[in-house]
Amino acid sequence: MTNELVEKNRKVITFFVLPLLLCLYAFTGLREGVDVADTTFSLVNYTYPEKLNAMWRFAFYLPNVIGQKLAHLPFGDTLYGMNVYATVFVALTAVAA
């Protein structure tokens, strides 16, 4: 009986508790504020992709397409909004791994 209970608890912790903790941990950086060290480079690329030369357009194609889509979401035109959306990608990647 106890082995079944231990196995059931292990499954609950493995499939629900740990992924939830990984998601919540990814969002802890949001309260620290917005990091503007290299943020404007990407935001300019999302906003004005036609200004990039061919090499950079090809190298950053996928991130720029995703960034353009995120910029059209609510609060996507603010640094904090983009920080939240990027954190969602980090949380999903952590859970998927």
Side-chain angles (χ1 to χ4, degrees):
M1 184 72 164
T2 46
N3 284 341
E4 291 176 8
L5 185 61
V6 168
E7 189 62 31
K8 182 180 176 185
N9 286 341
R10 183 179 298 145
K11 286 182 182 181
V12 168
I13 289 172
T14 303
F15 292 110
F16 296 110
V17 176
L18 290 178
L20 179 66
L21 288 174
L22 283 172
C23 279
L24 292 176
Y25 181 72
F27 285 96
T28 58
L30 290 177
R31 63 182 174 82
E32 299 297 325
V34 177
D35 180 22
V36 294
D38 198 23
T39 306
T40 54
F41 170 77
S42 296
L43 291 178
V44 169
N45 287 344
Y46 304 154
T47 308
Y48 306 107
E50 66 279 354
K51 303 269 187 201
L52 293 171
N53 66 21
M55 183 189 77
W56 291 110
R57 187 175 299 171
F58 179 73
F60 291 118
Y61 178 74
L62 186 60
N64 286 339
V65 169
I66 293 171
Q68 281 180 328
K69 302 298 182 207
L70 292 177
H72 293 299
L73 293 174
F75 302 106
D77 58 344
T78 65
L79 288 175
Y80 189 75
M82 290 302 273
N83 194 13
V84 170
Y85 293 135
T87 303
V88 169
F89 275 101
V90 170
L92 292 176
T93 304
V95 170

